Amino acid sequence: MTGEDIFRKFKKLIPKESFFSRLDSLAKKYRLFGPVNIKNQTAFREIHTSKELFMEYKSTMLSPGKLFIFRPKEELFRFHKNEGIKIEELPPVSEQQIIIGVHPCDTNAILYLDRTFMGIYKDPYYEARRKNTMIISLNCTNVSPNCFCSSVGSGPFLKAEKGYDMLLTDFGDRYLMEIKSKRAEELFNMKGKKAGKEEMEIKRDIENSVLEAFTKTIAVEGLDELFLRNMDHPVWQHTAEERCLSCSNCVLVCPTCFCYDLIDESSMDMKMTRRIRQLDACQDMRFAEVYGGNFRQRRAARLRQFVTHKLNQTVQYGVYGTVGCGRCITWCPTGIDLTEMAIEIRRSEKDM
Amino acid sequence: MNRLKPVKARIQALKKQAHEVKTYTLTTENLPFSALPGQFNMVGFPGVGEAPISFSALVRENCFEHTIRSAGRVTAYLDGLKEGDELFIRGPYGKGWPLRQAEGKTVLLIAGGLGIAPLRPVIQGILEKRGLFDKVYLIYGAKNEKHMLFTDEFQTWEEEFPLFLALDEISNPDSGSPRMKVRDKRGWEYHIGLVTDMLDKVKIYPQRTIAFVCGPEIMMRFVCRGLLLMGIESSSLYVSLERRMKCGIAHCGHCQHYGLFVCKDGPVFSYKQVRGLPDGLL
Ligand SMILES: Cc1cc2nc3c(=O)[nH]c(=O)nc-3n(C[C@H](O)[C@H](O)[C@H](O)COP(=O)(O)OP(=O)(O)OC[C@H]3O[C@@H](n4cnc5c(N)ncnc54)[C@H](O)[C@@H]3O)c2cc1C
Ligand code: SF4
Ligand code: FES
């Protein structure tokens, strides 16, 4: 990652136009990705000019980290069968790319994916993309009804100090630009007013006003113990049986869900096999199946796995699996809401 | 380093072990690893897939062994291979049995069914350095005599420690009357009943005993509860868990067991660590 190098973490106020024209000048050397308005939705797409960007977006269905760094589908190897089998290792992609306008929740989600794919075992495909991707984060001023990042400390303003390249805050016709990496310092060494105490105060005021816009919250205190005490709570069974379709939308839109499947696809003449990995989902009936059994045969068990992997199971990485983006709530066809499930459990404990 | 990249291995020898179970003696060019008892490889073939398989013998003279039951897509394919054929492996993965911790202690090895395979490297390790361990007992149960693995090694094992063998059923009940014991052709005596019945046979000091248990999860549940009743601490009981695995390196998420990655944090866990976890039987 970046961060190890010495650089000046400068903070400047940069006119938006100059920021965008700098981006345009980088388009020759870098692939650019950012939020684009498509009908009445926003999606992260490859862009060719900054004019395509829609920086005031609220939320996207898919997160940039799981589109452009951890790819939803990726070919890893080819096995060629002539006399004997030859393995061709597909090299990790080395294209340089920039993702623009990544909200704090999604930035934190990338930091979470780092724990999986760049922990003690490194995934070379992820690692190569991660290193070749500049992340320009954007503090969020457009809260959606399902957002609860403020409750879990991952937004609306980004607190992480490293692991990304730049942090923007919307100051009207200018961006407050905070540099977080050496390469960002080099590429965006632009003229602008140096930001000082006063600007930081304005930033705080904006943050405070954004914080007031949240309608969804979750009380994280004691959450781990709450769930551990309530593994057999009726909420799992009745939510799963009455509403969950096991469609896996929740998992696929989740920016931190990292599960994948390895799949072999052979050519018709059987001369070549591609080994591909693609996203998988714990909501799938066969996800935890083994010889002679299935550890999560029941829908309730699978729903509980998803919810507790986000709100409990912190033994895994020492952090919550949720970044509070609310996508699983938005895109669940029956509106299952993990924060409401936590509330239902809490309430039933109070009633006892 | 790409840990998902498999290497070729050649089948040096193949031995039918029992009903639908074979032991594969494998070798690879410049054997790229040394393994520990309880660790596993991802074994497979391009176009078919991969499956986690424990070492049933560690690397010796450039060879190692896997004992595999034909259970599904990958293993059925492997079942069709012959001596000299190639397959693909990657590994070794996971945390194995804490054999060092067992030194100086009484060691209880308890296996059910195919669970004997991951314990065989432990047995071999003990046989090599018998003096490092106090009393050793092996309790091993299978469905019936036809499912007993490594029967031709029992003799060697029994020279160093007692074996207690159990069968769920008799494959050919020759008389109508219920029996408590049967004897096979070679003279091995099998108790008819559960592995847990055999716990009465061992004489141990609980504080100086360590147990390694491997078998179907439901069997491990009852064995561990039995051992707890005998006074063994849950931190001195070790179990090896089976979960679906795709990557073996804590990435694909398939083996997750309430925040633990069975492939990386296990497959061997102390009973204390996994007892009562959701979606498990322990
Ligand atoms: C750490 C570890 C060590 C292991 N060590 C060994 C070992 O030493 N020896 C050994 O033999 N095994 C071992 N196993 C178990 C082995 O990995 C599994 O049996 C594995 O599933 C075999 O893979 P497969 O592709 O052959 O079977 P799969 O195809 O995955 O089949 C497994 C189960 O899924 C069912 N299934 C498969 N396809 C379908 C379908 N289309 N529809 C419905 N059901 C289906 C099968 O009926 C079967 O019950 C180990 C497992 C682990 C986790
Ligand atoms: S999106 Fe909703 S219905 Fe679909 S699997 Fe997730 S919780 Fe169930
Ligand atoms: S097997 Fe992939 S995470 Fe354990």
Side-chain angles (χ1 to χ4, degrees), chain A residues 88-99:
Chain A
E88 180 190 349
E89 188 177 348
L90 296 178
V93 174
S94 61
E95 276 172 319
Q96 301 286 326
Q97 53 186 31
I98 303 178
I99 315 179

Side-chain angles (χ1 to χ4, degrees), chain B residues 143-156:
Chain B
K143 197 166 162 213
N144 57 46
E145 316 81 294
K146 284 188 184 155
H147 287 80
M148 277 272 161
L149 308 180
F150 311 118
T151 43
D152 54 352
E153 295 171 33
F154 287 178
Q155 186 68 49
T156 326

Side-chain angles (χ1 to χ4, degrees), chain A residues 243-251 283 303 306 328 331-336:
Chain A
R243 290 163 69 191
C244 183
L245 314 170
S246 294
C247 67
S248 300
N249 274 9
C250 47
V251 171
Q283 300 308 293
L303 183 64
F306 172 71
C328 56
W331 296 99
C332 175
T334 65
I336 294 176

Side-chain angles (χ1 to χ4, degrees), chain B:
Chain B
M1 181 188 172
N2 192 344
R3 285 177 199 268
L4 295 176
K5 187 178 176 181
V7 297
K8 267 181 213 171
R10 183 176 296 279
I11 302 175
Q12 291 288 95
L14 197 56
K15 182 170 179 187
K16 189 167 162 70
Q17 209 48 255
H19 184 61
E20 296 198 320
V21 182
K22 284 179 186 163
T23 293
Y24 300 67
T25 306
L26 302 173
T27 184
T28 63
E29 262 172 52
N30 318 318
L31 209 62
F33 55 77
S34 65
L36 301 167
Q39 285 191 308
F40 64 95
N41 273 329
M42 294 301 293
V43 182
F45 201 82
V48 185
E50 298 176 305
I53 303 291
S54 304
F55 285 88
S56 62
L58 304 183
V59 182
R60 270 186 305 193
E61 289 158 20
N62 228 26
C63 286
F64 56 93
E65 289 181 352
H66 285 307
T67 300
I68 306 175
R69 170 178 51 202
S70 174
R73 197 175 148 84
V74 175
T75 48
Y77 179 85
L78 299 176
D79 191 50
L81 297 178
K82 292 181 284 297
E83 273 177 27
D85 284 348
E86 276 175 352
L87 46 77
F88 285 76
I89 59 154
R90 54 187 179 87
Y93 298 127
K95 286 211 179 73
W97 304 103
L99 204 52
R100 294 294 302 273
Q101 242 161 280
E103 289 175 10
K105 293 190 180 143
T106 294
V107 188
L108 281 181
L109 306 175
I110 304 175
L114 212 59
I116 189 73
L119 281 173
R120 186 162 163 256
V122 174
I123 296 172
Q124 292 173 339
I126 291 174
L127 293 182
E128 265 167 37
K129 297 185 175 162
R130 180 66 189 88
L132 289 179
F133 307 88
D134 192 9
K135 278 185 282 184
V136 177
Y137 298 97
L138 172 66
I139 300 176
Y140 171 29
K143 197 166 162 213
N144 57 46
E145 316 81 294
K146 284 188 184 155
H147 287 80
M148 277 272 161
L149 308 180
F150 311 118
T151 43
D152 54 352
E153 295 171 33
F154 287 178
Q155 186 68 49
T156 326
W157 298 355
E158 194 172 54
E159 282 164 19
E160 299 294 341
F161 49 77
L163 269 53
F164 299 100
L165 306 168
L167 300 176
D168 296 350
E169 59 181 37
I170 309 168
S171 59
N172 287 315
D174 46 7
S175 79
S177 62
R179 293 205 286 174
M180 298 295 288
K181 281 178 190 160
V182 290
R183 218 168 260 286
D184 74 359
K185 294 193 287 279
R186 302 178 200 225
W188 293 104
E189 189 180 89
Y190 301 118
H191 163 88
I192 306 301
L194 299 173
V195 166
T196 36
D197 301 346
M198 310 296 274
L199 293 179
D200 301 340
K201 310 247 177 190
V202 299
K203 302 271 168 286
I204 53 155
Y205 294 101
Q207 282 79 22
R208 283 199 274 121
T209 301
I210 191 167
F212 298 166
V213 187
C214 189
E217 203 151 307
I218 192 73
M219 163 254 173
M220 296 198 285
R221 172 197 179 93
F222 289 111
V223 168
C224 286
R225 285 170 195 231
L227 293 172
L228 288 182
L229 289 177
M230 289 163 74
I232 305 180
E233 297 278 330
S234 63
S235 57
S236 296
L237 295 179
Y238 289 85
V239 290
S240 181
L241 300 193
E242 177 177 348
R243 288 293 180 277
R244 195 165 191 84
M245 293 184 180
K246 293 286 177 175
C247 71
I249 49 173
H251 288 175
C252 79
H254 274 264
C255 69
Q256 284 180 97
H257 187 25
Y258 220 74
L260 300 170
F261 289 104
V262 173
C263 64
K264 170 186 72 96
D265 304 317
V268 175
F269 293 96
S270 79
Y271 184 54
K272 192 177 176 181
Q273 209 181 348
V274 291
R275 181 181 186 183
L277 285 184
D279 302 334
L281 303 172
L282 295 169

Side-chain angles (χ1 to χ4, degrees), chain A residues 1 3 34 44 48-49 67 70 88 108 133 138 144 156 158 182 192 200 214 227-228 244 257 263 268 282 289 292 333:
Chain A
M1 246 187 293
F44 273 85
H48 301 283
T49 142
L67 285 169
F70 174 39
E88 180 190 349
N108 277 305
T133 306
L138 171 69
S144 303
L158 188 54
K182 187 160 170 60
M200 289 301 130
F214 282 85
F227 279 113
L228 288 175
C244 183
C257 272
I263 295 165
M268 292 301 274
C282 60
E289 186 184 62

Side-chain angles (χ1 to χ4, degrees), chain A residues 144-171:
Chain A
S144 303
N146 289 328
C147 298
F148 58 99
C149 61
S150 59
S151 301
V152 294
S154 57
F157 276 34
L158 188 54
K159 305 296 176 206
E161 270 305 318
K162 53 180 192 197
Y164 61 106
D165 297 89
M166 184 196 295
L167 179 58
L168 300 174
T169 310
D170 193 335
F171 267 50

